[in-house]
Amino acid sequence: MTPTAGIQGGSSPGVGSRLDPSVAPGGNFDLSVWELQEPVGSPGSPTTIPSSRLQGANGYHDSYFYTDPRDGAMTFWAPEKGVTTPNSKYARSELREMNRDGSPADWSLSGTHVMSAKLRVVSVTSHVCVGQIHLGTGGSSTKPLVELYYYSNGDIVLGTENSPSGGQTPHTVGHVPVGQTWSYTIGVSGGHTIDLTVNGSTTHYTIPSSFNSYKQYFKAGSYNQSSSNSTTNGARVGFYALTVSHR
């Protein structure tokens, strides 16, 4: 498979990391096909940072999106209190897939589409979504097709949407202690199958036909799944590698 879009990163801490802790995330990762959403801005309208501002060693970074000075991880922080989208009560610091021309990614279920990551959840109050395939154009639904969750007890759970109208079925797919590095690959193949690999273990899930009219896009980062008035509790996630490919 030939990558057409994505992020390239180094290995995990203690395994000869090649990431430079002294530069912004854009100095270690190709952010040319991503847009960043942060948990700040106006109510119902979170701030988004275009790829043009994310790129390069001096690219955008702040307390919600930064390079970990210890190991170079591209780190996302989402507190329990923050600005959210109109369709969610949870804050996020998360990348949204874009095309290289700056338009939103919006790909068909046909073909093969894969997002792979190496990451660790540094801290989490309840649980956090670290990867998504989200519905794009083709209908009125604003739901995800799938969400990959990490829980504070170490469980990794894939949520598959039952239909564009809602309802999600959970599947426990792994267990990793908080702070430990792990990997996932999540994708679509053949127009009707979700393929998930967590730490080398692969499972498959059938996509309901009710999603056939929808196009899709990838998301990755820290989409916190708990809310309160706290700005110190939340989910912090560091990525050491993240790639996207389409064919």
Side-chain angles (χ1 to χ4, degrees), residues 21-231:
S22 68
V23 299
N28 287 316
F29 299 87
D30 174 10
L31 299 180
S32 63
V33 291
W34 297 96
E35 175 182 87
L36 175 68
Q37 182 183 115
E38 294 198 320
V40 295
S42 304
S45 182
T47 296
T48 58
I49 310 299
S51 63
S52 59
R53 293 184 60 195
L54 298 176
Q55 297 175 49
N58 296 314
Y60 183 86
H61 59 97
D62 63 7
S63 60
Y64 301 102
F65 177 72
Y66 61 94
T67 298
D68 189 313
R70 298 165 297 179
D71 57 24
M74 178 170 57
T75 304
F76 301 83
W77 163 243
E80 292 193 335
K81 181 180 181 180
V83 175
T84 70
T85 61
N87 299 306
S88 176
K89 61 181 179 179
Y90 301 128
R92 72 185 86 195
S93 176
E94 188 180 40
L95 295 174
R96 193 262 197 231
E97 186 187 7
M98 305 293 284
N99 296 317
R100 291 195 181 277
D101 64 4
S103 62
D106 196 42
W107 39 265
S108 169
L109 285 173
S110 61
T112 301
H113 314 275
V114 179
M115 177 170 66
S116 298
K118 181 178 288 186
L119 69 158
R120 73 184 183 108
V121 176
V122 181
S123 63
V124 60
T125 308
S126 172
H127 59 301
V128 57
C129 176
V130 297
Q132 299 187 57
I133 301 176
H134 202 282
L135 299 186
T137 62
S140 60
S141 177
T142 59
K143 299 290 185 180
L145 178 66
V146 296
E147 293 179 285
L148 185 61
Y149 302 109
Y150 180 91
Y151 281 76
S152 59
N153 67 354
D155 283 348
I156 302 168
V157 176
L158 182 72
T160 57
E161 206 73 9
N162 299 332
S163 78
S165 299
Q168 195 175 78
T169 300
H171 314 269
T172 301
V173 293
H175 181 90
V176 174
V178 173
Q180 181 174 312
T181 304
W182 55 287
S183 63
Y184 71 74
T185 297
I186 186 169
V188 171
S189 63
H192 53 74
T193 303
I194 296 162
D195 308 300
L196 176 73
T197 301
V198 173
N199 284 344
S201 179
T202 301
T203 49
H204 305 280
Y205 309 87
T206 300
I207 300 172
S209 60
S210 54
F211 290 101
N212 287 351
S213 65
Y214 283 89
K215 293 188 177 180
Q216 315 287 330
Y217 57 90
F218 288 117
K219 304 188 80 175
S222 175
Y223 179 17
N224 196 2
Q225 298 294 296
S226 59
S227 63
S228 73
N229 288 322
S230 175
T231 57

